[in-house]
Amino acid sequence: IIELYLSGNFSAIVTTLKILQESFVIPYIDQEIEISIERLGSHGEGIGYWNGFTLFVENALPEERVKAKIYERRKNYGRAKIIEYLQVSSSRNTPLCPLFGECGGCQLMHLEYSKQLETKRQRVVDALERIGKIFDSKVFPCEPSVPFGYRNKIQMPVDMGRLGLYARNTHDLVEIERCFIHCDLGETTFKHIQEIIKKYPLSEKVKHILIRTAVHTKQVLVIFVTTSDDYSHLFPLVEKLMGAQGEIKGVIQNINPAESNVILSHQYRTLAGLGWMEEKLLGLTFKVSPASFFQVNPAQAEKLYQKVVEFSALTGKEIVLDAYCGVGTLSLILAEHAKEIIGVECVNEAIIDAKENAERNHISNAKFTCDYAEKFVSTLTKIDIAILNPPRKGCESSFLEKLVQLKPSRIVYVSCDPATLARDLSFLCSKGYCIEAVQPFDMFPQTSHVECVVKLIFAPKSN
């Protein structure tokens, strides 16, 4: 390089530096490369290795070779967009939705469904091995779902009166005519809203519209999220909506002036009809409020809950802790098989709903407490079985430490994130628990998400 500099051959210097960059595996922004895709990442992107450097390539699939341009570079990885497909996977699908790749709702619609299931099972296996250092666990094939029309909830941002979904990893609105993973009844409501706002445009005060559908009871709630408590601008919309579709049981306003990623605040106003609806699961009736956590895929949720019942192996004599119990869905399903259910949840509105749901279903052996699970577990002296259904971040370490001191004979862990699941299972295995079975469930087809139900038994190794 010094000789080239002294000779004034600057173009040769640039060429030499690029060669050196490639030799030391330091790709640069806008560099075009050829790369083979080996696996899928946790967000559905293709992963390949260029001279040992990890690259995430959007919309690429395993077994594909692509020409791609790098648009982001970090110390240990980079991101690239496809310029040209040099070799196409035999598992590649033509996406049903014309907005796939633009709208951020789905990540795997370009992959045939059987391969989606294989990918999700493998994601669980990889997390157990890489994060939990857990090998040779019995991970069953991923339980399939209806691949389209399964969602009972959709939440759509509003921008300048336009209604749609966000593009992937942005707050850029993509207008949609329909959502292929949204249930038919909810789509009917969406179409009514689209027609009504053509005559009565949305105020700039409306920032989100949510549609929640009770699939089994054929009931719908519509929630308008507004920046102020003024609701006069919603009157024409509410009147037309209630008249357009008999299944709409209520129209609700949520007032959320905060500029954040949190869609709903705690302030609600019922504008018409009821402020809640009813849904049925496994023969039980549940109250669903606008803020209630309720499984988005109800048909698949029934399969998952049945697996929890199976893994719990209750005889009617057990005291069961249902940690992170939400509105009590699992507690009430398990109640007929147990002596006593103890449900704990830190969200007060959820506990109110759980207690109402127990009364609604005439269940008296399920008791609910509003508290943090890690604090509440210290008050217990005996439990036979623990059901864990934490949020995506997994269980608090303080909760697990106190739980293992109670030595429940079985733990059934319901997880929506393989990484935090693997971390928590690693701890439980170090305290004498053995993994008997891992059952993945595809709760969200066409996306990269996967849920699991894990059965653990207390079987400490003898010295």
Side-chain angles (χ1 to χ4, degrees):
I1 292 175
I2 294 173
E3 289 178 359
L4 291 171
Y5 177 77
L6 293 175
S7 67
N9 192 346
F10 298 112
S11 62
I13 291 175
V14 172
T15 302
T16 303
L17 286 173
K18 286 184 178 181
I19 292 171
L20 286 171
Q21 275 188 317
E22 293 181 3
S23 299
F24 288 103
V25 200
I26 307 176
Y28 52 90
I29 300 297
D30 291 334
Q31 181 177 356
E32 295 183 5
I33 61 166
E34 291 186 10
I35 186 170
S36 296
I37 305 302
E38 297 188 12
R39 59 191 179 91
L40 289 178
S42 59
H43 301 290
E45 67 277 76
I47 298 178
Y49 303 93
W50 180 78
N51 290 343
F53 187 80
T54 303
L55 281 172
F56 297 89
V57 185
E58 297 175 13
N59 294 325
L61 295 175
E63 302 177 357
E64 292 188 331
R65 186 165 179 81
V66 300
K67 184 177 181 181
K69 177 184 283 190
I70 295 170
Y71 68 90
E72 179 183 344
R73 188 190 67 193
R74 300 293 178 93
K75 181 179 179 181
N76 297 319
Y77 70 91
R79 299 188 185 277
K81 291 186 177 181
I82 295 173
I83 299 172
E84 180 184 357
Y85 289 95
L86 304 175
Q87 179 180 318
V88 178
S89 169
S90 60
S91 300
R92 177 172 284 276
N93 257 349
T94 300
L96 186 61
C97 178
L99 294 176
F100 175 75
E102 184 178 354
C103 167
C106 298
Q107 302 88 44
L108 295 180
M109 199 180 283
H110 59 326
L111 181 62
E112 67 178 41
Y113 189 56
S114 63
K115 292 295 183 181
Q116 290 186 32
L117 297 173
E118 291 177 16
T119 295
K120 294 184 181 191
R121 179 190 178 276
Q122 190 59 46
R123 186 181 163 203
V124 174
V125 172
D126 290 344
L128 292 177
E129 293 181 352
R130 295 177 184 177
I131 298 171
K133 307 304 177 187
I134 299 168
F135 302 91
D136 300 323
S137 287
K138 189 174 183 179
V139 181
F140 292 109
C142 189
E143 181 69 31
S145 166
V146 174
F148 295 99
Y150 61 85
R151 284 191 66 96
N152 62 8
K153 181 175 77 170
I154 189 171
Q155 43 199 39
M156 296 171 287
V158 179
D159 182 22
M160 302 294 290
R162 299 178 303 133
L163 194 59
L165 295 171
Y166 285 135
R168 187 185 301 186
N169 299 323
T170 75
H171 281 170
D172 298 331
L173 188 80
V174 177
E175 288 188 84
I176 63 171
E177 290 297 318
R178 65 169 295 185
C179 177
F180 287 86
I181 61 174
H182 191 208
C183 64
D184 289 342
L185 182 55
E187 280 296 288
T188 298
T189 304
F190 178 37
K191 286 180 171 57
H192 286 308
I193 292 173
Q194 289 174 308
E195 290 301 316
I196 291 168
I197 64 177
K198 288 178 182 177
K199 286 189 175 182
Y200 304 95
L202 292 169
S203 163
E204 61 183 14
K205 298 175 183 177
V206 180
K207 59 179 185 176
H208 277 88
I209 296 178
L210 279 68
I211 302 171
R212 299 199 68 167
T213 305
V215 175
H216 294 304
T217 60
K218 305 299 182 186
Q219 299 179 11
V220 180
L221 290 180
V222 179
I223 302 101
F224 290 92
V225 183
T226 62
T227 55
S228 76
D229 62 0
D230 175 30
Y231 56 94
S232 58
H233 57 96
L234 295 174
F235 279 150
L237 300 172
V238 173
E239 182 182 3
K240 294 296 181 183
L241 262 179
M242 292 298 290
Q245 189 179 353
E247 292 93 345
I248 297 177
K249 295 302 175 185
V251 180
I252 299 150
Q253 179 188 20
N254 177 266
I255 301 99
N256 186 7
E259 294 184 6
S260 71
N261 291 328
V262 179
I263 294 176
L264 296 173
S265 74
H266 295 290
Q267 188 176 355
Y268 293 90
R269 176 187 286 125
T270 302
L271 301 178
L274 301 175
W276 49 273
M277 62 184 179
E278 286 187 339
E279 179 61 301
K280 290 185 179 293
L281 281 180
L282 295 175
L284 298 178
T285 303
F286 296 92
K287 176 185 177 183
V288 181
S289 303
S292 298
F293 171 78
F294 207 77
Q295 286 284 1
V296 168
N297 185 340
Q300 192 73 337
E302 290 189 321
K303 294 181 184 179
L304 184 147
Y305 293 149
Q306 286 171 330
K307 185 58 66 174
V308 173
V309 173
E310 176 191 328
F311 281 0
S312 300
L314 298 171
T315 65
K317 299 177 181 179
E318 295 87 359
I319 298 173
V320 180
L321 171 66
D322 183 9
Y324 315 95
C325 68
V327 298
T329 312
L330 258 176
S331 295
L332 301 180
I333 289 169
L334 290 167
E336 68 170 301
H337 307 284
K339 177 182 177 181
E340 181 183 359
I341 304 287
I342 303 168
V344 60
E345 169 63 58
C346 65
V347 179
N348 188 53
E349 293 87 348
I351 289 297
I352 292 171
D353 283 351
K355 291 178 178 178
E356 285 189 27
N357 286 330
E359 293 179 7
R360 192 178 306 254
N361 291 283
H362 310 291
I363 293 172
S364 59
N365 64 330
K367 308 298 181 184
F368 298 99
T369 300
C370 183
D371 204 346
Y372 290 97
E374 54 271 23
K375 179 181 175 183
F376 179 75
V377 71
S378 298
T379 68
L380 301 174
T381 57
K382 174 180 169 53
I383 57 170
D384 299 301
I385 294 173
I387 309 297
L388 313 182
N389 190 6
R392 186 167 296 278
K393 65 178 183 178
C395 297
E396 296 290 340
S397 58
S398 59
F399 168 77
L400 292 177
E401 288 167 0
K402 293 169 184 174
L403 177 68
V404 296
Q405 293 174 16
L406 293 169
K407 296 181 180 178
S409 62
R410 283 186 297 284
I411 296 175
V412 181
Y413 194 132
V414 182
S415 168
C416 59
D417 185 86
T420 55
L421 171 67
R423 178 201 67 201
D424 292 349
L425 291 182
S426 179
F427 173 82
L428 292 170
C429 290
S430 74
K431 298 299 180 179
Y433 285 89
C434 296
I435 298 171
E436 278 212 338
V438 181
Q439 177 61 71
F441 281 85
D442 189 13
M443 303 297 289
F444 305 98
Q446 317 309 327
T447 79
S448 57
H449 300 291
V450 59
E451 298 207 8
C452 283
V453 181
V454 182
K455 180 182 180 181
L456 301 104
I457 60 169
F458 187 59
K461 296 177 181 178
S462 57
N463 294 326

